[in-house]
Amino acid sequence: MRQVSKYFSIVFLLTTLLSIAQSQQSNSVDITIDRGSVFLKGKFYVAAGESIFPTVILLHGFPGNETDVLGIGDKLSKSGINALTFNYAGSYQSQGATSLENNQKDIDAAFDFIRQPDNIRKFKIDTTCIYLGGWCHGGGMALAYAASHPEVTTVFSIAGNDLGEFMRTYAGNSEFQKIVDQMFGDMIVSPAAVRFDKGGLPKEMAETGIEKMNPIFDLKKNAPQLAKKDILL
């Protein structure tokens, strides 16, 4: 019975992601997520109705934007599913500094936000139906988080980045290095105003040694931890 229920959940999520609801207006509110001494800014797309609703933590690509993720949060809320998005620490109006490890802490804080009793009541959250997913960088972060958190049983990744493969390519391809270094340098002066933590840049990770990178960021290494989960790619 549990397997049938899990299968239904992920199929329901898939069909909702692919649908375009026309009947209701988007209803998003600004939120602040407390990650200890770091405050993250985000949006909560609120499902309309009197019931309790499934809720999706929806992760941006990097560095993302200050609103939605590919319009998915808006579509989910119109279809009876709450969606929470946020800016990673060290980007836009979120405090702190960004790195792969800090991104994982950001996701922790988003789960804490959803589980707070006041927010459960305010946003009518069905705590038995909480899902995690994202696109590009966010898709890779979602899979990495799921690999190290057994309680996350359903996850989706849209064009997710395999960070292990990304870093292997970066370390072995000088032309790719130039492109990536320029891209990350541009992020610092972009509207996102990204502030990288020490060791958070690809160049710094390569200098430290990619073999020392946490294996949860490498899909090849964390595949055994993901094998028993419901995954939508």
Side-chain angles (χ1 to χ4, degrees):
M1 189 58 150
R2 174 173 168 75
Q3 288 299 321
V4 172
S5 174
K6 289 170 65 180
Y7 176 76
F8 174 79
S9 296
I10 199 166
V11 169
F12 176 62
L13 185 60
L14 169 60
T15 56
T16 302
L17 286 171
L18 297 177
S19 70
I20 301 178
Q22 302 290 342
S23 59
Q24 297 179 4
Q25 298 252 337
S26 171
N27 183 19
S28 69
V29 297
D30 293 334
I31 60 172
T32 299
I33 299 171
D34 183 354
R35 203 200 82 190
S37 60
V38 175
F39 293 95
L40 311 176
K41 295 297 184 179
K43 296 276 187 185
F44 199 104
Y45 292 83
V46 185
E50 297 304 319
S51 181
I52 58 174
F53 303 101
T55 300
V56 172
I57 295 174
L58 188 57
L59 304 178
H60 280 285
F62 194 79
N65 60 63
E66 292 183 279
T67 55
D68 203 351
V69 179
L70 304 178
I72 294 172
D74 176 50
K75 292 182 176 66
L76 287 173
S77 68
K78 290 176 179 177
S79 301
I81 299 177
N82 289 320
L84 179 155
T85 70
F86 64 89
N87 293 123
Y88 302 109
S91 67
Y92 294 100
Q93 300 303 310
S94 290
Q95 296 178 350
T98 196
S99 68
L100 300 184
E101 299 290 350
N102 285 347
N103 290 169
Q104 295 290 293
K105 294 177 184 177
D106 297 341
I107 301 171
D108 263 335
F111 272 101
D112 288 343
F113 180 94
I114 281 178
R115 293 176 181 134
Q116 290 172 10
D118 287 349
N119 292 328
I120 292 171
R121 289 190 293 270
K122 179 178 179 180
F123 299 117
K124 301 172 185 175
I125 295 169
D126 182 350
T127 56
T128 68
C129 297
I130 297 175
Y131 306 106
L132 175 66
W135 90 279
C136 197
H137 177 79
M141 285 289 104
L143 291 172
Y145 190 89
S148 57
H149 289 79
E151 72 277 11
V152 178
T153 59
T154 302
V155 62
F156 65 90
S157 174
I158 304 168
N161 187 12
D162 180 346
L163 292 161
E165 197 60 35
F166 176 88
M167 286 306 303
R168 282 188 286 272
T169 302
Y170 177 90
N173 186 320
S174 59
E175 288 302 312
F176 186 65
Q177 285 179 25
K178 292 177 184 177
I179 294 170
V180 171
D181 289 346
Q182 180 65 53
M183 179 178 67
F184 276 76
D186 290 344
M187 289 180 189
I188 296 171
V189 295
S190 73
V194 179
R195 287 131 6 236
F196 290 96
D197 202 3
K198 184 175 181 178
L201 288 165
K203 182 177 181 179
E204 294 171 324
M205 287 188 279
E207 289 172 349
T208 300
I210 60 173
E211 72 281 355
K212 297 179 182 178
M213 186 173 70
N214 189 328
I216 68 162
F217 299 119
D218 191 327
L219 279 180
K220 291 181 180 178
K221 293 180 180 179
N222 67 31
Q225 287 76 28
L226 293 168
K228 295 182 180 180
K229 299 180 186 289
D230 290 322
I231 299 175
L232 170 64
L233 299 177

